[in-house]
Amino acid sequence: MATAEGVQAVKVLIAGGAGFIGSTVASACLDAGMSPVILDSLVTGRREFTAGRSFYEGDIADGPLIDRIFAEHPDIGAVIHCAALIVVPDSVADPVGYYRANVAKSLEFAAHLLRNGGARLIFSSSAAIYRPGADLSVDEDSPVDPASPYARTKAVCEAMFADIAAAEPIRVLSLRYFNPIGADPKMRTGLQLRRPTHALGKLIQASQDGVPFVITGTDWPTRDGTGLRDYIHVWDLAAAHVAALTRFDTLPGPVTVINLGTGTGTTVRELAAAFNQVADRPVQVREAGRRPGDIAGACTRTGRAQRLLGWRPQYDLTEGIRHSLQWAALRDEVLSGEPARRLSPPER
Ligand SMILES: NC(=O)c1ccc[n+]([C@@H]2O[C@H](COP(=O)([O-])OP(=O)(O)OC[C@H]3O[C@@H](n4cnc5c(N)ncnc54)[C@H](O)[C@@H]3O)[C@@H](O)[C@H]2O)c1
């Protein structure tokens, strides 16, 4: 595959490219001289994030549409599949809907890609599929034991794509994301939701509303008893996709799995302290018990991403918080109203 510096511009189809991560990946591709083609149903994505970009509104399971995209862009060299529903509690309430949206449609999508000669697939997977060990760190060989229907859809898709790659002329890279924060540093895109429900979203909300931030759960097996996450700046995630596109043909197998995290776990207490260093309006912290479905969390033991992609995160936690705050202040200028569906669950 031609590299970013190569003679031929890399054209990449990004399914889910109007969402938080996919739109950031599209921006990173553009900045690297690649040409993204966006396919998105806008079920949670935003049309504003596709402005000025090649955009097809529709479903990944829509065969005639995928055929049309490939007919109009025969030079698509790779596909990034970010399209999914991602709200853990919704997946518990509606497993049929989630398996249909994330698994059945991904299977259809794979068949449509094969028919059109799609040979390189990068799949957005999740660290939520792991069962972490006692020290809460995981690597790509750690046990897979998803704790929610949402996470299970990701694990099932990985297994399904691996079986397909073993039999068909397609190679698959699954990127297992940890906990994305921040926004495009150029503020083209960020989280769609006005009031995200993950810990950083709640810190921002508490700061805006002048109310205390409530830590839910202080008896986890972590250094200070609060949940631990591996917060990765979304621009670093996006940069990893650019690196993966550039190096795709050097990856070892028909199937490769790579964790994308910083390698540093941050507890909720540490996140709140870091937030108060950055925010104009610091928050007071209160403590409460665990909520149903909460987990201790995990961080990655990095190594493979650096070895195979030559990638390592460039942004630290403080910059992620700063960019999230900046986006929260700008969001209503870029986006009007709420997306149709709830986004940004506590755990993904
Ligand atoms: N955000 C996270 O914390 C996180 C963590 C790990 C993995 N992931 C994975 O990353 C990917 C992107 O997540 P995100 O945070 O950007 O979510 P998002 O909801 O912002 O983006 C998903 C996009 O996919 C689109 N979409 C959904 N179903 C579709 C379909 N059938 N056809 C066409 N488009 C469809 C939505 O409209 C949306 O634009 C997902 O696959 C998710 O599972 C996200």
Side-chain angles (χ1 to χ4, degrees):
M1 182 166 194
T3 65
E5 300 82 33
V7 277
Q8 170 198 340
V10 175
K11 189 173 276 188
V12 53
L13 174 62
I14 307 181
F20 171 49
I21 295 171
S23 65
T24 317
V25 170
S27 297
C29 286
L30 282 167
D31 290 1
M34 301 177 176
S35 315
V37 175
I38 312 297
L39 164 64
D40 201 297
S41 64
L42 302 183
V43 59
T44 57
R46 297 297 302 236
R47 190 178 301 280
E48 294 91 329
F49 290 169
T50 69
R53 298 175 182 184
S54 173
F55 173 48
Y56 292 81
E57 182 175 347
D59 201 285
I60 56 168
D62 181 343
L65 176 61
I66 312 295
D67 293 347
R68 180 157 77 88
I69 294 171
F70 275 87
E72 290 175 4
H73 302 275
D75 48 343
I76 286 173
V79 178
I80 299 177
H81 177 14
C82 304
L85 301 181
I86 66 165
V87 182
V88 170
D90 288 359
S91 77
V92 175
D94 180 20
V96 172
Y98 264 67
Y99 279 98
R100 183 179 293 131
N102 290 0
V103 177
K105 289 189 177 191
S106 289
L107 178 61
E108 293 303 316
F109 190 43
H112 302 325
L113 296 182
L114 289 172
R115 186 174 62 252
N116 284 286
R120 300 179 186 92
L121 177 64
I122 297 177
F123 175 59
S124 297
S125 189
S126 171
I129 69 174
Y130 288 120
R131 170 159 37 91
D135 73 348
L136 300 183
S137 77
V138 293
D139 65 22
E140 291 84 353
D141 298 320
S142 295
V144 167
D145 183 16
S148 70
Y150 160 74
R152 218 161 353 260
T153 67
K154 292 279 143 185
V156 171
C157 279
E158 280 201 19
M160 185 172 83
F161 290 139
D163 285 340
I164 293 170
E168 303 281 358
I170 188 167
R171 292 157 60 86
V172 180
L173 168 62
S174 288
L175 297 176
R176 295 178 179 162
Y177 310 156
F178 281 68
N179 301 86
I181 58 168
D184 172 11
K186 293 185 186 164
M187 295 294 134
R188 287 166 285 193
T189 60
L191 271 178
Q192 302 92 305
L193 200 69
R194 188 174 290 129
R195 291 182 166 248
T197 57
H198 56 25
L200 179 54
K202 290 204 160 155
L203 277 161
I204 293 173
Q205 198 177 313
S207 165
Q208 287 170 344
D209 297 351
V211 299
F213 167 71
V214 181
I215 297 181
T216 47
T218 54
D219 57 350
W220 294 106
T222 61
R223 49 186 168 266
D224 63 17
T226 65
L228 178 134
R229 302 289 180 271
D230 185 336
Y231 294 105
I232 175 85
H233 196 294
V234 69
W235 190 256
D236 280 324
L237 271 192
H241 290 72
V242 171
L245 289 166
T246 307
R247 297 218 184 177
F248 196 96
D249 290 346
T250 68
L251 295 174
V255 177
T256 307
V257 171
I258 299 179
N259 283 355
L260 294 180
T262 63
T264 303
T266 301
T267 68
V268 181
R269 245 189 259 283
E270 290 164 352
L271 179 70
F275 181 85
N276 281 342
Q277 300 279 321
V278 175
D280 290 339
R281 298 165 65 184
V283 296
Q284 285 186 340
V285 174
R286 296 244 172 92
E287 294 180 3
R290 296 182 189 184
R291 297 162 306 174
D294 281 350
I295 54 168
C299 65
T300 186
R301 293 191 288 272
T302 43
R304 195 179 288 183
Q306 197 180 335
R307 202 170 66 253
L308 295 183
L309 303 181
W311 169 89
R312 47 163 57 178
Q314 301 299 315
Y315 287 103
D316 65 15
L317 180 66
T318 306
E319 288 160 318
I321 295 170
R322 191 171 286 125
H323 285 142
S324 288
L325 278 163
Q326 218 178 322
W327 172 257
L330 266 176
R331 183 235 171 245
D332 287 359
E333 267 176 50
V334 182
L335 301 176
S336 48
E338 290 290 349
R341 296 177 68 94
R342 199 149 53 85
L343 279 177
S344 191
E347 270 322 310
R348 279 161 295 185

